[in-house]
Amino acid sequence: MKQYEKLLLENKAWAKEQTEEDPEFFLRLSKLQKPEFLWIGCSDSRVPADKITGTRPGEIFVHRNIANMVVHTDVNLLAVLDYAVNYLQVKHVIVCGHYGCGGVKASMSKTDFKPVLNMWLRNIKDVYHLYREELDKIEDEESRTDRLVELNVKEQVLHLAQTSIIQRAWKDNNYPHLHGWVYGLKDGIIKPIFEMEAGTHIDPLYEYENL
Ligand code: CO
């Protein structure tokens, strides 16, 4: 059996199991999705959003990219955010990073990863630059990477708050709340590290007035 064929077999077994447990499961879900959460996570295969949060199909709307970035010019991310906030009306947006993140590690190296990856990693380098004083003091490389993972999550949550999408939703609906979490690959535990209640004021430079 080819490797990918195993996935299709596993899928059949899973679908059968779901139907046995709950005969209406697929019928119900096919008609409606009403997730309460938008998850912005790392593409890393070891951090599956639904598995580690015990959420089932229909409960969590997911966007993943390398190092869980919220980049202002990323149309993919912005379309997901807009749809999740304005159409699905999620109550919480979670940015979840993870310790030992390869993207964050790569951004700290001087390696040339060629144009596309360099461009992406540059966004993480900019976070390092912002917290350079604190980070440069941490001698142990693993601890320094993990601290950058935390600070990067915090920065990405701030980036969310800087979008007109979030600011308009805060004004009109008083949600979603924003959360910054970090998942531990070594123990499977998620650590909340930063959060912003709806309506939190940010640097006025980024606040829109005529929403
Ligand atoms: Co990662």
PDB file of all heavy atoms in Angstrom, residues 33-41 49-50 55-64 76-77 79-85 87-90 92-94:
ATOM      1  N   GLN A  33     -22.072  25.682   9.708  1.00  0.00           N
ATOM      2  CA  GLN A  33     -20.946  25.725  10.637  1.00  0.00           C
ATOM      3  C   GLN A  33     -21.090  26.996  11.456  1.00  0.00           C
ATOM      4  O   GLN A  33     -21.379  28.068  10.934  1.00  0.00           O
ATOM      5  CB  GLN A  33     -19.582  25.647   9.916  1.00  0.00           C
ATOM      6  CG  GLN A  33     -19.194  26.860   9.084  1.00  0.00           C
ATOM      7  CD  GLN A  33     -17.696  26.947   8.854  1.00  0.00           C
ATOM      8  OE1 GLN A  33     -16.902  26.371   9.589  1.00  0.00           O
ATOM      9  NE2 GLN A  33     -17.290  27.670   7.810  1.00  0.00           N
ATOM     10  N   LYS A  34     -20.954  26.871  12.747  1.00  0.00           N
ATOM     11  CA  LYS A  34     -21.091  28.036  13.631  1.00  0.00           C
ATOM     12  C   LYS A  34     -19.984  27.988  14.695  1.00  0.00           C
ATOM     13  O   LYS A  34     -20.256  27.883  15.890  1.00  0.00           O
ATOM     14  CB  LYS A  34     -22.500  28.024  14.271  1.00  0.00           C
ATOM     15  CG  LYS A  34     -22.894  29.348  14.892  1.00  0.00           C
ATOM     16  CD  LYS A  34     -23.407  30.354  13.872  1.00  0.00           C
ATOM     17  CE  LYS A  34     -23.563  31.755  14.456  1.00  0.00           C
ATOM     18  NZ  LYS A  34     -22.308  32.530  14.498  1.00  0.00           N
ATOM     19  N   PRO A  35     -18.734  28.066  14.220  1.00  0.00           N
ATOM     20  CA  PRO A  35     -17.636  27.977  15.192  1.00  0.00           C
ATOM     21  C   PRO A  35     -17.547  29.244  16.041  1.00  0.00           C
ATOM     22  O   PRO A  35     -17.875  30.329  15.576  1.00  0.00           O
ATOM     23  CB  PRO A  35     -16.402  27.826  14.307  1.00  0.00           C
ATOM     24  CG  PRO A  35     -16.767  28.467  13.019  1.00  0.00           C
ATOM     25  CD  PRO A  35     -18.249  28.278  12.852  1.00  0.00           C
ATOM     26  N   GLU A  36     -17.122  29.093  17.265  1.00  0.00           N
ATOM     27  CA  GLU A  36     -16.961  30.226  18.186  1.00  0.00           C
ATOM     28  C   GLU A  36     -15.537  30.769  18.131  1.00  0.00           C
ATOM     29  O   GLU A  36     -15.255  31.817  18.685  1.00  0.00           O
ATOM     30  CB  GLU A  36     -17.220  29.758  19.633  1.00  0.00           C
ATOM     31  CG  GLU A  36     -18.617  29.264  19.894  1.00  0.00           C
ATOM     32  CD  GLU A  36     -19.573  30.416  20.200  1.00  0.00           C
ATOM     33  OE1 GLU A  36     -19.251  31.222  21.084  1.00  0.00           O
ATOM     34  OE2 GLU A  36     -20.614  30.497  19.539  1.00  0.00           O
ATOM     35  N   PHE A  37     -14.642  30.003  17.508  1.00  0.00           N
ATOM     36  CA  PHE A  37     -13.219  30.343  17.568  1.00  0.00           C
ATOM     37  C   PHE A  37     -12.569  30.409  16.188  1.00  0.00           C
ATOM     38  O   PHE A  37     -12.837  29.570  15.330  1.00  0.00           O
ATOM     39  CB  PHE A  37     -12.454  29.257  18.363  1.00  0.00           C
ATOM     40  CG  PHE A  37     -13.062  28.942  19.698  1.00  0.00           C
ATOM     41  CD1 PHE A  37     -13.892  27.842  19.849  1.00  0.00           C
ATOM     42  CD2 PHE A  37     -12.836  29.758  20.792  1.00  0.00           C
ATOM     43  CE1 PHE A  37     -14.470  27.544  21.082  1.00  0.00           C
ATOM     44  CE2 PHE A  37     -13.391  29.471  22.034  1.00  0.00           C
ATOM     45  CZ  PHE A  37     -14.216  28.363  22.175  1.00  0.00           C
ATOM     46  N   LEU A  38     -11.713  31.415  16.021  1.00  0.00           N
ATOM     47  CA  LEU A  38     -10.788  31.405  14.886  1.00  0.00           C
ATOM     48  C   LEU A  38      -9.411  31.113  15.457  1.00  0.00           C
ATOM     49  O   LEU A  38      -8.977  31.773  16.406  1.00  0.00           O
ATOM     50  CB  LEU A  38     -10.770  32.756  14.155  1.00  0.00           C
ATOM     51  CG  LEU A  38      -9.578  32.977  13.182  1.00  0.00           C
ATOM     52  CD1 LEU A  38      -9.581  31.938  12.060  1.00  0.00           C
ATOM     53  CD2 LEU A  38      -9.608  34.384  12.602  1.00  0.00           C
ATOM     54  N   TRP A  39      -8.737  30.143  14.886  1.00  0.00           N
ATOM     55  CA  TRP A  39      -7.420  29.709  15.330  1.00  0.00           C
ATOM     56  C   TRP A  39      -6.397  30.117  14.279  1.00  0.00           C
ATOM     57  O   TRP A  39      -6.539  29.763  13.108  1.00  0.00           O
ATOM     58  CB  TRP A  39      -7.425  28.193  15.486  1.00  0.00           C
ATOM     59  CG  TRP A  39      -6.125  27.542  15.828  1.00  0.00           C
ATOM     60  CD1 TRP A  39      -5.116  27.188  14.969  1.00  0.00           C
ATOM     61  CD2 TRP A  39      -5.700  27.114  17.123  1.00  0.00           C
ATOM     62  NE1 TRP A  39      -4.100  26.579  15.655  1.00  0.00           N
ATOM     63  CE2 TRP A  39      -4.425  26.518  16.979  1.00  0.00           C
ATOM     64  CE3 TRP A  39      -6.280  27.172  18.405  1.00  0.00           C
ATOM     65  CZ2 TRP A  39      -3.720  25.983  18.064  1.00  0.00           C
ATOM     66  CZ3 TRP A  39      -5.582  26.638  19.473  1.00  0.00           C
ATOM     67  CH2 TRP A  39      -4.316  26.061  19.295  1.00  0.00           C
ATOM     68  N   ILE A  40      -5.408  30.897  14.667  1.00  0.00           N
ATOM     69  CA  ILE A  40      -4.307  31.224  13.765  1.00  0.00           C
ATOM     70  C   ILE A  40      -3.071  30.551  14.338  1.00  0.00           C
ATOM     71  O   ILE A  40      -2.546  30.972  15.378  1.00  0.00           O
ATOM     72  CB  ILE A  40      -4.117  32.754  13.647  1.00  0.00           C
ATOM     73  CG1 ILE A  40      -5.395  33.395  13.083  1.00  0.00           C
ATOM     74  CG2 ILE A  40      -2.907  33.077  12.760  1.00  0.00           C
ATOM     75  CD1 ILE A  40      -5.418  34.914  13.160  1.00  0.00           C
ATOM     76  N   GLY A  41      -2.653  29.470  13.707  1.00  0.00           N
ATOM     77  CA  GLY A  41      -1.576  28.661  14.274  1.00  0.00           C
ATOM     78  C   GLY A  41      -0.432  28.452  13.303  1.00  0.00           C
ATOM     79  O   GLY A  41      -0.467  28.910  12.163  1.00  0.00           O
ATOM     80  N   ALA A  49      -4.628  21.988  15.537  1.00  0.00           N
ATOM     81  CA  ALA A  49      -5.513  22.839  16.343  1.00  0.00           C
ATOM     82  C   ALA A  49      -6.622  22.051  17.042  1.00  0.00           C
ATOM     83  O   ALA A  49      -6.862  22.242  18.235  1.00  0.00           O
ATOM     84  CB  ALA A  49      -6.124  23.911  15.449  1.00  0.00           C
ATOM     85  N   ASP A  50      -7.292  21.177  16.310  1.00  0.00           N
ATOM     86  CA  ASP A  50      -8.453  20.505  16.915  1.00  0.00           C
ATOM     87  C   ASP A  50      -8.037  19.435  17.931  1.00  0.00           C
ATOM     88  O   ASP A  50      -8.624  19.323  19.001  1.00  0.00           O
ATOM     89  CB  ASP A  50      -9.368  19.915  15.833  1.00  0.00           C
ATOM     90  CG  ASP A  50      -8.622  19.014  14.857  1.00  0.00           C
ATOM     91  OD1 ASP A  50      -7.370  19.003  14.875  1.00  0.00           O
ATOM     92  OD2 ASP A  50      -9.290  18.323  14.070  1.00  0.00           O
ATOM     93  N   THR A  55     -11.382  20.008  20.222  1.00  0.00           N
ATOM     94  CA  THR A  55     -12.543  20.529  19.504  1.00  0.00           C
ATOM     95  C   THR A  55     -12.909  19.585  18.358  1.00  0.00           C
ATOM     96  O   THR A  55     -12.054  18.902  17.801  1.00  0.00           O
ATOM     97  CB  THR A  55     -12.275  21.938  18.937  1.00  0.00           C
ATOM     98  OG1 THR A  55     -10.956  21.987  18.408  1.00  0.00           O
ATOM     99  CG2 THR A  55     -12.410  22.986  20.016  1.00  0.00           C
ATOM    100  N   ARG A  56     -14.185  19.574  18.024  1.00  0.00           N
ATOM    101  CA  ARG A  56     -14.693  18.668  16.998  1.00  0.00           C
ATOM    102  C   ARG A  56     -14.955  19.447  15.708  1.00  0.00           C
ATOM    103  O   ARG A  56     -14.992  20.677  15.702  1.00  0.00           O
ATOM    104  CB  ARG A  56     -15.979  18.013  17.486  1.00  0.00           C
ATOM    105  CG  ARG A  56     -15.836  17.404  18.882  1.00  0.00           C
ATOM    106  CD  ARG A  56     -16.933  16.419  19.160  1.00  0.00           C
ATOM    107  NE  ARG A  56     -16.917  15.334  18.176  1.00  0.00           N
ATOM    108  CZ  ARG A  56     -17.972  14.559  17.892  1.00  0.00           C
ATOM    109  NH1 ARG A  56     -19.113  14.769  18.498  1.00  0.00           N
ATOM    110  NH2 ARG A  56     -17.888  13.599  16.992  1.00  0.00           N
ATOM    111  N   PRO A  57     -15.149  18.735  14.595  1.00  0.00           N
ATOM    112  CA  PRO A  57     -15.480  19.438  13.349  1.00  0.00           C
ATOM    113  C   PRO A  57     -16.649  20.391  13.588  1.00  0.00           C
ATOM    114  O   PRO A  57     -17.611  20.037  14.260  1.00  0.00           O
ATOM    115  CB  PRO A  57     -15.883  18.299  12.407  1.00  0.00           C
ATOM    116  CG  PRO A  57     -15.105  17.121  12.887  1.00  0.00           C
ATOM    117  CD  PRO A  57     -15.049  17.284  14.391  1.00  0.00           C
ATOM    118  N   GLY A  58     -16.526  21.611  13.060  1.00  0.00           N
ATOM    119  CA  GLY A  58     -17.592  22.599  13.245  1.00  0.00           C
ATOM    120  C   GLY A  58     -17.321  23.566  14.380  1.00  0.00           C
ATOM    121  O   GLY A  58     -18.000  24.577  14.509  1.00  0.00           O
ATOM    122  N   GLU A  59     -16.333  23.276  15.215  1.00  0.00           N
ATOM    123  CA  GLU A  59     -16.133  24.108  16.406  1.00  0.00           C
ATOM    124  C   GLU A  59     -15.015  25.144  16.281  1.00  0.00           C
ATOM    125  O   GLU A  59     -14.943  26.068  17.085  1.00  0.00           O
ATOM    126  CB  GLU A  59     -15.836  23.215  17.627  1.00  0.00           C
ATOM    127  CG  GLU A  59     -17.027  22.396  18.062  1.00  0.00           C
ATOM    128  CD  GLU A  59     -16.761  21.568  19.302  1.00  0.00           C
ATOM    129  OE1 GLU A  59     -15.599  21.355  19.675  1.00  0.00           O
ATOM    130  OE2 GLU A  59     -17.738  21.117  19.900  1.00  0.00           O
ATOM    131  N   ILE A  60     -14.127  24.962  15.324  1.00  0.00           N
ATOM    132  CA  ILE A  60     -12.982  25.865  15.262  1.00  0.00           C
ATOM    133  C   ILE A  60     -12.597  26.133  13.794  1.00  0.00           C
ATOM    134  O   ILE A  60     -12.459  25.206  13.002  1.00  0.00           O
ATOM    135  CB  ILE A  60     -11.812  25.273  16.114  1.00  0.00           C
ATOM    136  CG1 ILE A  60     -10.668  26.259  16.297  1.00  0.00           C
ATOM    137  CG2 ILE A  60     -11.287  23.975  15.579  1.00  0.00           C
ATOM    138  CD1 ILE A  60      -9.724  25.853  17.428  1.00  0.00           C
ATOM    139  N   PHE A  61     -12.526  27.423  13.463  1.00  0.00           N
ATOM    140  CA  PHE A  61     -12.175  27.854  12.107  1.00  0.00           C
ATOM    141  C   PHE A  61     -10.663  28.077  12.108  1.00  0.00           C
ATOM    142  O   PHE A  61     -10.152  28.743  13.008  1.00  0.00           O
ATOM    143  CB  PHE A  61     -12.914  29.160  11.796  1.00  0.00           C
ATOM    144  CG  PHE A  61     -13.037  29.485  10.338  1.00  0.00           C
ATOM    145  CD1 PHE A  61     -13.732  28.670   9.474  1.00  0.00           C
ATOM    146  CD2 PHE A  61     -12.467  30.642   9.828  1.00  0.00           C
ATOM    147  CE1 PHE A  61     -13.868  28.980   8.122  1.00  0.00           C
ATOM    148  CE2 PHE A  61     -12.592  30.967   8.477  1.00  0.00           C
ATOM    149  CZ  PHE A  61     -13.291  30.128   7.624  1.00  0.00           C
ATOM    150  N   VAL A  62      -9.960  27.532  11.104  1.00  0.00           N
ATOM    151  CA  VAL A  62      -8.497  27.468  11.231  1.00  0.00           C
ATOM    152  C   VAL A  62      -7.751  28.125  10.079  1.00  0.00           C
ATOM    153  O   VAL A  62      -8.103  27.945   8.910  1.00  0.00           O
ATOM    154  CB  VAL A  62      -8.046  25.988  11.340  1.00  0.00           C
ATOM    155  CG1 VAL A  62      -6.541  25.880  11.324  1.00  0.00           C
ATOM    156  CG2 VAL A  62      -8.601  25.344  12.609  1.00  0.00           C
ATOM    157  N   HIS A  63      -6.745  28.907  10.431  1.00  0.00           N
ATOM    158  CA  HIS A  63      -5.777  29.419   9.461  1.00  0.00           C
ATOM    159  C   HIS A  63      -4.400  29.073   9.998  1.00  0.00           C
ATOM    160  O   HIS A  63      -4.107  29.328  11.163  1.00  0.00           O
ATOM    161  CB  HIS A  63      -5.909  30.930   9.299  1.00  0.00           C
ATOM    162  CG  HIS A  63      -4.892  31.519   8.361  1.00  0.00           C
ATOM    163  ND1 HIS A  63      -5.071  31.556   7.001  1.00  0.00           N
ATOM    164  CD2 HIS A  63      -3.670  32.050   8.594  1.00  0.00           C
ATOM    165  CE1 HIS A  63      -3.994  32.105   6.429  1.00  0.00           C
ATOM    166  NE2 HIS A  63      -3.143  32.424   7.380  1.00  0.00           N
ATOM    167  N   ARG A  64      -3.556  28.493   9.156  1.00  0.00           N
ATOM    168  CA  ARG A  64      -2.200  28.178   9.623  1.00  0.00           C
ATOM    169  C   ARG A  64      -1.180  28.642   8.604  1.00  0.00           C
ATOM    170  O   ARG A  64      -1.400  28.583   7.398  1.00  0.00           O
ATOM    171  CB  ARG A  64      -2.068  26.658   9.869  1.00  0.00           C
ATOM    172  CG  ARG A  64      -2.895  26.204  11.063  1.00  0.00           C
ATOM    173  CD  ARG A  64      -3.026  24.691  11.166  1.00  0.00           C
ATOM    174  NE  ARG A  64      -1.786  24.028  11.558  1.00  0.00           N
ATOM    175  CZ  ARG A  64      -1.687  22.711  11.742  1.00  0.00           C
ATOM    176  NH1 ARG A  64      -2.728  21.928  11.551  1.00  0.00           N
ATOM    177  NH2 ARG A  64      -0.529  22.175  12.094  1.00  0.00           N
ATOM    178  N   ASN A  76      -4.580  36.303   2.196  1.00  0.00           N
ATOM    179  CA  ASN A  76      -5.123  35.027   2.661  1.00  0.00           C
ATOM    180  C   ASN A  76      -5.575  35.143   4.125  1.00  0.00           C
ATOM    181  O   ASN A  76      -6.730  34.877   4.464  1.00  0.00           O
ATOM    182  CB  ASN A  76      -4.038  33.949   2.494  1.00  0.00           C
ATOM    183  CG  ASN A  76      -4.537  32.549   2.815  1.00  0.00           C
ATOM    184  OD1 ASN A  76      -5.647  32.376   3.313  1.00  0.00           O
ATOM    185  ND2 ASN A  76      -3.715  31.557   2.548  1.00  0.00           N
ATOM    186  N   LEU A  77      -4.659  35.579   4.960  1.00  0.00           N
ATOM    187  CA  LEU A  77      -4.984  35.764   6.387  1.00  0.00           C
ATOM    188  C   LEU A  77      -6.143  36.754   6.569  1.00  0.00           C
ATOM    189  O   LEU A  77      -7.077  36.497   7.337  1.00  0.00           O
ATOM    190  CB  LEU A  77      -3.712  36.244   7.110  1.00  0.00           C
ATOM    191  CG  LEU A  77      -3.675  36.602   8.599  1.00  0.00           C
ATOM    192  CD1 LEU A  77      -4.206  37.988   8.906  1.00  0.00           C
ATOM    193  CD2 LEU A  77      -4.336  35.568   9.489  1.00  0.00           C
ATOM    194  N   ALA A  79      -8.529  37.623   4.516  1.00  0.00           N
ATOM    195  CA  ALA A  79      -9.807  37.076   4.034  1.00  0.00           C
ATOM    196  C   ALA A  79     -10.385  36.110   5.074  1.00  0.00           C
ATOM    197  O   ALA A  79     -11.588  36.134   5.357  1.00  0.00           O
ATOM    198  CB  ALA A  79      -9.602  36.373   2.695  1.00  0.00           C
ATOM    199  N   VAL A  80      -9.531  35.285   5.653  1.00  0.00           N
ATOM    200  CA  VAL A  80      -9.980  34.352   6.694  1.00  0.00           C
ATOM    201  C   VAL A  80     -10.497  35.136   7.903  1.00  0.00           C
ATOM    202  O   VAL A  80     -11.561  34.834   8.451  1.00  0.00           O
ATOM    203  CB  VAL A  80      -8.817  33.403   7.112  1.00  0.00           C
ATOM    204  CG1 VAL A  80      -9.172  32.622   8.365  1.00  0.00           C
ATOM    205  CG2 VAL A  80      -8.474  32.449   5.972  1.00  0.00           C
ATOM    206  N   LEU A  81      -9.753  36.167   8.288  1.00  0.00           N
ATOM    207  CA  LEU A  81     -10.138  36.980   9.445  1.00  0.00           C
ATOM    208  C   LEU A  81     -11.476  37.681   9.191  1.00  0.00           C
ATOM    209  O   LEU A  81     -12.383  37.655  10.038  1.00  0.00           O
ATOM    210  CB  LEU A  81      -9.032  38.015   9.732  1.00  0.00           C
ATOM    211  CG  LEU A  81      -9.253  38.927  10.935  1.00  0.00           C
ATOM    212  CD1 LEU A  81      -9.207  38.143  12.235  1.00  0.00           C
ATOM    213  CD2 LEU A  81      -8.202  40.042  10.964  1.00  0.00           C
ATOM    214  N   ASP A  82     -11.597  38.289   8.027  1.00  0.00           N
ATOM    215  CA  ASP A  82     -12.822  38.999   7.663  1.00  0.00           C
ATOM    216  C   ASP A  82     -14.017  38.039   7.691  1.00  0.00           C
ATOM    217  O   ASP A  82     -15.059  38.327   8.296  1.00  0.00           O
ATOM    218  CB  ASP A  82     -12.644  39.612   6.262  1.00  0.00           C
ATOM    219  CG  ASP A  82     -13.741  40.610   5.917  1.00  0.00           C
ATOM    220  OD1 ASP A  82     -14.719  40.721   6.679  1.00  0.00           O
ATOM    221  OD2 ASP A  82     -13.625  41.280   4.875  1.00  0.00           O
ATOM    222  N   TYR A  83     -13.858  36.904   7.063  1.00  0.00           N
ATOM    223  CA  TYR A  83     -14.953  35.939   7.011  1.00  0.00           C
ATOM    224  C   TYR A  83     -15.316  35.428   8.408  1.00  0.00           C
ATOM    225  O   TYR A  83     -16.499  35.358   8.772  1.00  0.00           O
ATOM    226  CB  TYR A  83     -14.580  34.762   6.095  1.00  0.00           C
ATOM    227  CG  TYR A  83     -15.723  33.806   5.906  1.00  0.00           C
ATOM    228  CD1 TYR A  83     -16.835  34.168   5.133  1.00  0.00           C
ATOM    229  CD2 TYR A  83     -15.720  32.557   6.520  1.00  0.00           C
ATOM    230  CE1 TYR A  83     -17.906  33.305   4.981  1.00  0.00           C
ATOM    231  CE2 TYR A  83     -16.784  31.680   6.373  1.00  0.00           C
ATOM    232  CZ  TYR A  83     -17.876  32.062   5.606  1.00  0.00           C
ATOM    233  OH  TYR A  83     -18.946  31.211   5.463  1.00  0.00           O
ATOM    234  N   ALA A  84     -14.303  35.099   9.185  1.00  0.00           N
ATOM    235  CA  ALA A  84     -14.540  34.556  10.526  1.00  0.00           C
ATOM    236  C   ALA A  84     -15.230  35.587  11.423  1.00  0.00           C
ATOM    237  O   ALA A  84     -16.143  35.259  12.173  1.00  0.00           O
ATOM    238  CB  ALA A  84     -13.225  34.109  11.157  1.00  0.00           C
ATOM    239  N   VAL A  85     -14.783  36.839  11.324  1.00  0.00           N
ATOM    240  CA  VAL A  85     -15.301  37.881  12.210  1.00  0.00           C
ATOM    241  C   VAL A  85     -16.667  38.378  11.745  1.00  0.00           C
ATOM    242  O   VAL A  85     -17.605  38.490  12.537  1.00  0.00           O
ATOM    243  CB  VAL A  85     -14.293  39.062  12.301  1.00  0.00           C
ATOM    244  CG1 VAL A  85     -14.915  40.259  13.006  1.00  0.00           C
ATOM    245  CG2 VAL A  85     -13.031  38.611  13.030  1.00  0.00           C
ATOM    246  N   TYR A  87     -18.806  37.140   9.113  1.00  0.00           N
ATOM    247  CA  TYR A  87     -19.845  36.212   8.671  1.00  0.00           C
ATOM    248  C   TYR A  87     -20.093  35.108   9.687  1.00  0.00           C
ATOM    249  O   TYR A  87     -21.221  34.803  10.043  1.00  0.00           O
ATOM    250  CB  TYR A  87     -19.503  35.639   7.288  1.00  0.00           C
ATOM    251  CG  TYR A  87     -19.589  36.720   6.228  1.00  0.00           C
ATOM    252  CD1 TYR A  87     -18.513  37.565   5.970  1.00  0.00           C
ATOM    253  CD2 TYR A  87     -20.785  36.933   5.523  1.00  0.00           C
ATOM    254  CE1 TYR A  87     -18.603  38.584   5.041  1.00  0.00           C
ATOM    255  CE2 TYR A  87     -20.888  37.951   4.582  1.00  0.00           C
ATOM    256  CZ  TYR A  87     -19.796  38.779   4.344  1.00  0.00           C
ATOM    257  OH  TYR A  87     -19.903  39.787   3.432  1.00  0.00           O
ATOM    258  N   LEU A  88     -19.014  34.499  10.178  1.00  0.00           N
ATOM    259  CA  LEU A  88     -19.197  33.454  11.193  1.00  0.00           C
ATOM    260  C   LEU A  88     -19.404  34.070  12.570  1.00  0.00           C
ATOM    261  O   LEU A  88     -19.933  33.433  13.467  1.00  0.00           O
ATOM    262  CB  LEU A  88     -17.979  32.519  11.210  1.00  0.00           C
ATOM    263  CG  LEU A  88     -17.707  31.745   9.917  1.00  0.00           C
ATOM    264  CD1 LEU A  88     -16.391  30.998  10.009  1.00  0.00           C
ATOM    265  CD2 LEU A  88     -18.848  30.785   9.613  1.00  0.00           C
ATOM    266  N   GLN A  89     -18.958  35.305  12.726  1.00  0.00           N
ATOM    267  CA  GLN A  89     -19.060  36.033  13.997  1.00  0.00           C
ATOM    268  C   GLN A  89     -18.481  35.264  15.182  1.00  0.00           C
ATOM    269  O   GLN A  89     -19.151  35.053  16.201  1.00  0.00           O
ATOM    270  CB  GLN A  89     -20.509  36.446  14.239  1.00  0.00           C
ATOM    271  CG  GLN A  89     -20.979  37.341  13.082  1.00  0.00           C
ATOM    272  CD  GLN A  89     -22.332  37.965  13.294  1.00  0.00           C
ATOM    273  OE1 GLN A  89     -23.229  37.328  13.818  1.00  0.00           O
ATOM    274  NE2 GLN A  89     -22.487  39.208  12.867  1.00  0.00           N
ATOM    275  N   VAL A  90     -17.230  34.861  14.993  1.00  0.00           N
ATOM    276  CA  VAL A  90     -16.537  34.140  16.070  1.00  0.00           C
ATOM    277  C   VAL A  90     -16.395  35.057  17.286  1.00  0.00           C
ATOM    278  O   VAL A  90     -16.307  36.275  17.155  1.00  0.00           O
ATOM    279  CB  VAL A  90     -15.138  33.637  15.632  1.00  0.00           C
ATOM    280  CG1 VAL A  90     -15.256  32.605  14.526  1.00  0.00           C
ATOM    281  CG2 VAL A  90     -14.231  34.786  15.214  1.00  0.00           C
ATOM    282  N   HIS A  92     -13.979  34.523  19.681  1.00  0.00           N
ATOM    283  CA  HIS A  92     -12.577  34.557  20.102  1.00  0.00           C
ATOM    284  C   HIS A  92     -11.653  34.291  18.918  1.00  0.00           C
ATOM    285  O   HIS A  92     -11.934  33.413  18.113  1.00  0.00           O
ATOM    286  CB  HIS A  92     -12.306  33.475  21.164  1.00  0.00           C
ATOM    287  CG  HIS A  92     -13.180  33.607  22.366  1.00  0.00           C
ATOM    288  ND1 HIS A  92     -12.847  34.379  23.454  1.00  0.00           N
ATOM    289  CD2 HIS A  92     -14.400  33.078  22.642  1.00  0.00           C
ATOM    290  CE1 HIS A  92     -13.814  34.322  24.357  1.00  0.00           C
ATOM    291  NE2 HIS A  92     -14.778  33.536  23.885  1.00  0.00           N
ATOM    292  N   VAL A  93     -10.573  35.067  18.858  1.00  0.00           N
ATOM    293  CA  VAL A  93      -9.522  34.775  17.877  1.00  0.00           C
ATOM    294  C   VAL A  93      -8.279  34.414  18.675  1.00  0.00           C
ATOM    295  O   VAL A  93      -7.849  35.164  19.559  1.00  0.00           O
ATOM    296  CB  VAL A  93      -9.237  35.982  16.961  1.00  0.00           C
ATOM    297  CG1 VAL A  93      -8.137  35.623  15.957  1.00  0.00           C
ATOM    298  CG2 VAL A  93     -10.499  36.426  16.227  1.00  0.00           C
ATOM    299  N   ILE A  94      -7.733  33.254  18.378  1.00  0.00           N
ATOM    300  CA  ILE A  94      -6.578  32.751  19.116  1.00  0.00           C
ATOM    301  C   ILE A  94      -5.374  32.672  18.191  1.00  0.00           C
ATOM    302  O   ILE A  94      -5.442  32.039  17.130  1.00  0.00           O
ATOM    303  CB  ILE A  94      -6.870  31.327  19.663  1.00  0.00           C
ATOM    304  CG1 ILE A  94      -8.065  31.365  20.624  1.00  0.00           C
ATOM    305  CG2 ILE A  94      -5.626  30.746  20.340  1.00  0.00           C
ATOM    306  CD1 ILE A  94      -8.765  30.027  20.760  1.00  0.00           C
TER     307      ILE A  94
END
